[in-house]
Amino acid sequence: MSKTGTRHVFFCSAASRYFKEDIHGSAANYNGFILLEHSDPFPEKVNQAHFDPLFITGLQELAKQKKSKLLLIRNKKTGFKTCRLIYVDCIRRRYLTLHSTPADVAAIRLEYYMNNPDAIWETEPFYIVCTNGKKDKCCAKFGFPVFKFIENHDKAVTVFESTHVGGDRFAANAVCLPRGIYYGRVMVEDVDAILEATEQGRIHYPNYRGLSTRSFLYQSVECYLREQLNDFSADFDFAIVAQEEADSYIRVEVIVSATQRYRLSLLKKTIPYPYYLTCKSSKPGAITKYLLEAFEELPASR
């Protein structure tokens, strides 16, 4: 590099935008989240946090049992004297919050409260935004401004910055809990529309990655259904009642709203990706997409 030149800095999220990669159907697959408040700067990995390693290991094992994701979180209310431990059940769309101190939180047996019939569950939506630059610099560069904008928004919604939620190249990534609604490529200018959609019981489709409780195939089917039916309700639901696979072709029949029936023909395709999938990748990879080949309405169910 010449003395007058500039060093090229690669950002995986900028590359994904340039590639015009479709973010729909890309949400990480989790049925829930365990959120542990952490007052210090985030480490690269959760097990490097400033808590008892055995406590962290226990939470990771519990998260694995529940097909959940353990994350460190913090916001402007986070201090060194208190510590919140939150379990989010995305299947039942609810969460419980336990209050402790950093010194005593390791004594909490979260599974006891999860199974306690007297536990106090909440349903009010809140957000987490990945800002973990030690995992990927795109998460800090694009995530932190979005987190701060939501935190200081007039709507006064609850938001936490968090460790990695999945999808480096889709930064900024935000998740609306307790539903597990993943948003990607979020910019500050997208925040108002996302918050407004949540208030109205909708999703903001331009930034919608998918629902964490659904597989990539189901997320793709959902997104194609939404586009065809122009339905962006947060309560949009469907059931796959028949599925056939032959080589890379998949045909599914779905029922929407109990009576509407549709058939979708999809091509599962592996697409060579010309860039690095993350900022820390050492070589280009590939992405898998479910491409819609045909969509047809079938006679209504009775």
Side-chain angles (χ1 to χ4, degrees):
M1 183 181 73
S2 67
K3 292 182 179 179
T4 58
T6 56
R7 184 183 300 274
H8 172 71
V9 178
F10 174 76
F11 289 96
C12 63
S13 58
S16 178
R17 287 175 185 267
Y18 183 79
F19 187 61
K20 293 182 171 57
E21 180 182 358
D22 186 6
I23 68 172
H24 301 309
S26 67
N29 304 146
Y30 301 111
N31 289 338
F33 294 84
I34 298 175
L35 309 177
L36 177 61
E37 195 167 23
H38 187 270
S39 56
D40 289 336
F42 292 146
E44 181 178 356
K45 298 180 180 180
V46 173
N47 59 13
Q48 298 169 338
H50 63 217
F51 296 100
D52 180 351
L54 292 178
F55 171 58
I56 295 295
T57 298
L59 288 181
Q60 288 176 321
E61 291 175 352
L62 179 61
K64 185 177 181 179
Q65 293 171 13
K66 297 295 184 180
K67 196 184 176 184
S68 297
K69 176 76 168 176
L70 173 62
L71 298 172
L72 303 177
I73 60 168
R74 67 182 178 205
N75 62 16
K76 60 186 176 184
K77 293 184 178 180
T78 301
F80 293 94
K81 295 182 179 180
T82 61
C83 180
R84 284 170 284 186
L85 180 60
I86 305 171
Y87 173 65
V88 183
D89 183 345
C90 296
I91 298 293
R92 298 184 179 181
R93 301 173 181 175
R94 62 182 190 173
Y95 59 95
L96 62 86
T97 303
L98 304 175
H99 298 269
S100 184
T101 65
D104 296 334
V105 68
I108 294 177
R109 295 297 173 261
L110 180 57
E111 58 270 35
Y112 167 78
Y113 293 93
M114 291 163 54
N115 299 321
N116 188 337
D118 296 324
I120 299 175
W121 295 89
E122 300 176 75
T123 58
E124 186 70 19
F126 70 97
Y127 299 84
I128 55 175
V129 180
C130 179
T131 64
N132 194 8
K134 290 183 179 179
K135 174 64 172 65
D136 194 298
K137 64 178 180 288
C138 280
C139 296
K141 178 178 177 62
F142 298 103
F144 190 72
V146 170
F147 159 70
K148 293 304 294 183
F149 190 79
I150 298 176
E151 188 173 50
N152 295 305
H153 200 279
D154 291 342
K155 290 186 181 295
V157 298
T158 299
V159 62
F160 298 93
E161 58 178 320
S162 78
T163 49
H164 196 56
V165 301
D168 309 49
R169 66 188 187 278
F170 303 127
N173 289 294
V175 187
C176 182
L177 298 172
R179 289 178 179 267
I181 298 172
Y182 266 66
Y183 289 111
R185 292 199 188 129
V186 180
M187 305 296 282
V188 166
E189 53 266 33
D190 299 315
V191 168
D192 284 343
I194 290 173
L195 299 186
E196 185 70 21
T198 300
E199 281 189 346
Q200 296 179 3
R202 300 183 293 103
I203 61 164
H204 181 58
Y205 195 68
N207 296 102
Y208 184 62
R209 288 181 57 192
L211 203 61
S212 70
T213 53
R214 290 174 174 156
S215 68
F216 293 128
L217 172 60
Y218 273 56
Q219 289 179 38
S220 298
V221 170
E222 173 203 342
C223 289
Y224 289 130
L225 285 169
R226 287 184 179 278
E227 292 170 4
Q228 294 290 328
L229 304 178
N230 196 35
D231 188 335
F232 303 106
S233 167
D235 290 322
F236 180 83
D237 202 9
F238 66 95
I240 293 181
V241 295
Q243 180 174 329
E244 300 176 4
E245 297 188 29
D247 297 325
S248 297
Y249 290 92
I250 303 171
R251 176 179 292 176
V252 296
E253 290 188 13
V254 301
I255 293 180
V256 180
S257 301
T259 58
Q260 298 171 277
R261 197 178 187 99
Y262 303 93
R263 179 184 291 124
L264 290 79
S265 297
L266 307 169
L267 171 63
K268 183 179 181 181
K269 186 175 183 179
T270 300
I271 303 171
Y273 192 70
Y275 309 108
Y276 300 139
L277 292 174
T278 72
C279 289
K280 292 185 177 181
S281 297
S282 59
K283 59 183 179 180
I287 55 177
T288 300
K289 291 293 183 182
Y290 295 92
L291 306 178
L292 182 65
E293 297 281 291
F295 181 93
E296 55 185 314
E297 184 173 0
L298 302 176
S301 301
R302 295 185 178 181

